[in-house]
């Protein structure tokens, strides 16, 4: 395999350890409606048209809506020599990880005593 598979629960650790570049490959409208903090948007079509210049000195971490499209791009980039990973389950999986964290932070912020 020329790329790494990452579970949503592992993303933050991987970003910290690798100082990776997180790329959301969904359409701009979807990205603007919500995305993982720190992700930049390069829609799928940009990869297909080869208009991207990606850094070779950083790990590239991709996600899409459900994980299939980012896996295809990760496979291709891996064969081209990039250090690349894809998030299993895509943004849908990431939202499930982020939501409980947001609820915990919200509960802590609403407490009167600390």
């Amino acid at each position: 395999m020329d790329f790494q598979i990452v579970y949503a629960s592992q993303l933050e650790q991987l970003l910290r350890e690798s100082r990776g570049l997180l790329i959301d490959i969904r359409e701009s409208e979807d990205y603007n409606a919500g995305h993982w903090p720190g992700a930049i948007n390069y829609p799928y079509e940009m990869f297909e048209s080869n208009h991207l210049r990606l850094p070779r000195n950083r790990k590239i971490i991709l996600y899409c809506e459900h994980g299939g499209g980012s896996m295809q791009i990760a496979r291709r980039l891996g064969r081209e020599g990039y250090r690349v990973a894809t998030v299993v389950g895509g943004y849908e999986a990431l939202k499930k990880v982020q939501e409980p964290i947001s609820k915990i932070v919200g509960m802590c912020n609403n407490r009167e005593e600390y």
Side-chain angles (χ1 to χ4, degrees):
M1 185 179 317
D2 297 323
F3 61 94
Q4 179 182 1
I5 293 176
V6 178
Y7 291 96
S9 61
Q10 300 170 314
L11 179 61
E12 288 297 324
Q13 181 179 350
L14 177 63
L15 286 169
R16 277 193 304 276
E17 290 173 356
S18 69
R19 300 192 63 218
L21 179 62
L22 183 61
I23 300 177
D24 182 326
I25 69 165
R26 299 175 301 148
E27 295 295 323
S28 297
E29 297 81 28
D30 295 327
Y31 174 84
N32 290 333
H35 58 272
W36 192 259
I40 58 175
N41 185 223
Y42 288 147
Y44 187 89
E45 296 79 35
M46 292 179 76
F47 286 94
E48 291 302 306
S49 63
N50 292 318
H51 286 128
L52 290 179
R53 301 221 188 274
L54 298 172
R56 292 205 178 256
N57 62 341
R58 290 181 73 184
K59 185 168 208 129
I60 307 296
I61 306 166
L62 306 169
Y63 72 87
C64 59
E65 193 66 32
H66 298 285
S70 60
M71 188 171 291
Q72 289 177 349
I73 299 291
R75 185 175 287 120
R76 189 181 103 207
L77 292 176
R79 284 192 300 254
E80 293 174 10
Y82 286 93
R83 292 182 11 221
V84 64
T86 183
V87 179
V88 174
Y91 187 61
E92 288 300 314
L94 289 171
K95 287 191 304 188
K96 291 175 185 172
V97 169
Q98 190 176 32
E99 209 170 67
I101 294 170
S102 300
K103 288 179 183 176
I104 291 168
V105 170
M107 288 188 316
C108 290
N109 288 340
N110 290 332
R111 289 179 45 191
E112 292 181 23
E113 297 177 27
Y114 292 99

